[in-house]
Amino acid sequence: MGFMSVLSFAHRCVTERLRPGEIAVDATAGTGADTAFLCGAVGSAGTVYAFDIQQEALDRAAERVAALHATAPRLHLLLQSHAELEQALPPDERGRVGAVMFNLGYLPGGDQTVITRPESTLPALDAAVSVLRAGGILTVVLYPGHDGGREEAESVQRWAAALPEAAFQTLLYRFANRSNNPPYVIAIEKRKVYS
């Protein structure tokens, strides 16, 4: 039996912390894999917000959720940058989010010149940790193998390493002996209220 894929690892981290009925955010809807996963995790009483700057991604996410969940949670598909995450959530839901997931890079099968970039990703990560509840989880799947991916991955890794240890636990999950710039995950658990 091999190790878990990075996406499976991110899902497992979230499964261990996110509860039915909670609020969750997919900061980069993409193909809808994380959106559908979060919908299943929060159940019909929960709420999921999915962000993407491409309508094609939101359409794919909606299709995937509809195909997998007969009774989906309250799903909000937002044609907005993940950098607008905090402002897009209602004020009474900020600080109550159980999980935020990022899957950076580009939309598979879409326009590969449209990629996530540090200038929007880093503010989005700041917003994500601010909306999490204590004990909530943030996962970031990073893809250093495409143009711009290494720069973004290094920026995110520096950002995560600088989080105060008293308020956050940060974990890096990556395959150390692959030479083709494989994707990897950073998972962050919020220990206490942090502003």
Side-chain angles (χ1 to χ4, degrees):
M1 181 168 129
F3 291 115
M4 279 186 271
S5 71
V6 293
L7 188 57
S8 294
F9 181 80
H11 285 186
R12 180 149 190 194
C13 289
V14 171
T15 297
E16 292 174 355
R17 291 159 184 84
L18 186 62
R19 299 182 295 258
E22 282 202 292
I23 303 158
V25 175
D26 182 352
T28 51
T31 65
D34 291 337
T35 305
F37 163 75
L38 290 170
C39 286
V42 301
S44 60
T47 302
V48 173
Y49 293 90
F51 291 81
D52 211 289
I53 60 170
Q54 297 178 84
Q55 186 62 50
E56 178 186 357
L58 296 176
D59 293 344
R60 286 166 120 182
E63 289 170 13
R64 190 172 223 154
V65 169
L68 294 175
H69 302 289
T71 55
R74 291 176 294 274
L75 175 59
H76 304 276
L77 298 169
L78 304 169
L79 186 61
Q80 292 178 249
S81 168
H82 53 211
E84 300 171 39
L85 187 156
E86 187 172 10
Q87 298 89 340
L89 266 62
D92 66 327
E93 292 184 351
R94 297 175 196 159
R96 295 179 42 223
V97 174
V100 181
M101 300 186 79
F102 287 76
N103 197 326
L104 302 178
Y106 56 82
L107 176 62
D111 182 352
Q112 293 186 13
T113 64
V114 179
I115 60 171
T116 55
R117 300 184 183 278
E119 53 267 22
S120 64
T121 298
L122 295 177
L125 291 168
D126 286 334
V129 295
S130 74
V131 302
L132 281 177
R133 64 165 167 77
I137 183 103
L138 164 66
T139 63
V140 187
V141 179
L142 300 146
Y143 297 88
H146 67 85
D147 287 343
R150 179 180 297 281
E151 175 192 10
E152 183 173 46
E154 290 172 354
S155 295
V156 170
Q157 200 165 328
R158 282 192 302 271
W159 172 87
L163 289 170
E165 188 177 344
F168 299 96
Q169 291 190 93
T170 302
L171 173 74
L172 182 69
Y173 179 78
R174 90 185 318 163
F175 294 94
N177 65 339
R178 290 194 184 158
S179 60
N180 61 346
N181 295 314
Y184 62 100
V185 178
I186 295 176
I188 298 161
E189 183 178 46
K190 189 172 188 177
R191 292 180 188 233
K192 63 178 185 176
V193 176
Y194 175 78
S195 56

